[in-house]
Amino acid sequence: MDTAENKETETGQIPSHAQVVIIGGGVIGCNIAYHLTKRGWTDVVLLEKNKLTSGTTWHAAGLIVTSGFTTETSMQLAKYTRELYGKLEEETGQSTGFRDIGLLQVAANEHVETDLRRKAAFNKHMGVDSHELSPKEILDI
Ligand SMILES: Cc1cc2nc3c(=O)[nH]c(=O)nc-3n(C[C@H](O)[C@H](O)[C@H](O)COP(=O)(O)OP(=O)(O)OC[C@H]3O[C@@H](n4cnc5c(N)ncnc54)[C@H](O)[C@@H]3O)c2cc1C
């Protein structure tokens, strides 16, 4: 990630040493590289055997939600992630294609309805904009 190291990797050569070597360029590896360099680590190398995000990460690219979480930790992580992705292009000049949209969950029976209401209450408690809609309102949108 350091400029000198970047130049080396751009030529296809792997640096002979580094302070940190991350193996795997999925969401976890990229995330670690981003946050380490954000905190001032300059000698970070990420090794990916195929293409960045070509592992399981690409399967999940469309679903970055703040719904369905049942612990404060997972909800905070989800909120932080959405906020981060929303400003990455401004910060790095590279577009991730991320669109900050909501989602609609439909309860097809009473059990799911009860579950969604419980999750909606938790969402609201955690500051996530969450509303219950009637069947007619769903048709309207
Ligand atoms: C079908 C499907 C749908 C999913 N949907 C969602 C979802 O909606 N929301 C959600 O949050 N999660 C979802 N997940 C889970 C999510 O995709 C994974 O938890 C996440 O991608 C894991 O990221 P990772 O970086 O650990 O692994 P990966 O993305 O798999 O990255 C690992 C990387 O390491 C590289 N690698 C492996 N070995 C080496 C080596 N020896 N040297 C160099 N590189 C190596 C691989 O090529 C790969 O790029 C889904 C998963 C799947 C399979």
Side-chain angles (χ1 to χ4, degrees):
M1 302 294 151
D2 182 28
T3 319
E5 299 290 343
N6 262 348
K7 277 182 189 149
E8 273 188 287
T9 49
E10 279 164 16
T11 62
Q13 291 173 11
I14 296 173
S16 60
H17 64 277
Q19 196 177 10
V20 177
V21 177
I22 299 162
I23 300 173
V27 66
I28 300 297
C30 293
N31 179 17
I32 293 169
Y34 171 84
H35 284 96
L36 282 178
T37 51
K38 187 100 180 156
R39 280 158 179 72
W41 292 57
T42 55
D43 194 9
V44 177
V45 170
L46 189 151
L47 301 175
E48 167 53 50
K49 69 176 178 181
N50 195 359
K51 279 184 174 176
L52 288 179
T53 72
S54 62
T56 55
T57 292
W58 75 267
H59 289 287
L63 284 173
I64 303 161
V65 296
T66 44
S67 175
F69 296 101
T70 51
T71 67
E72 294 195 2
T73 306
S74 54
M75 180 66 92
Q76 292 288 8
L77 277 171
K79 284 177 71 178
Y80 172 76
T81 300
R82 281 178 72 100
E83 283 163 21
L84 175 66
Y85 289 179
K87 62 185 186 194
L88 269 182
E89 184 170 1
E90 190 183 322
E91 184 182 322
T92 66
Q94 294 185 35
S95 170
T96 60
F98 175 69
R99 290 192 298 137
D100 189 7
I101 58 173
L103 82 159
L104 192 61
Q105 289 181 290
V106 179
N109 61 52
E110 280 181 24
H111 297 298
V112 178
E113 187 180 61
T114 303
D115 186 48
L116 287 181
R117 282 191 175 138
R118 198 177 66 241
K119 284 171 179 160
F122 182 63
N123 282 352
K124 280 184 187 162
H125 166 68
M126 294 297 293
V128 176
D129 194 19
S130 193
H131 306 273
E132 182 169 332
L133 302 175
S134 67
K136 183 182 176 312
E137 287 172 310
I138 290 177
L139 279 176
D140 289 345
I141 61 169

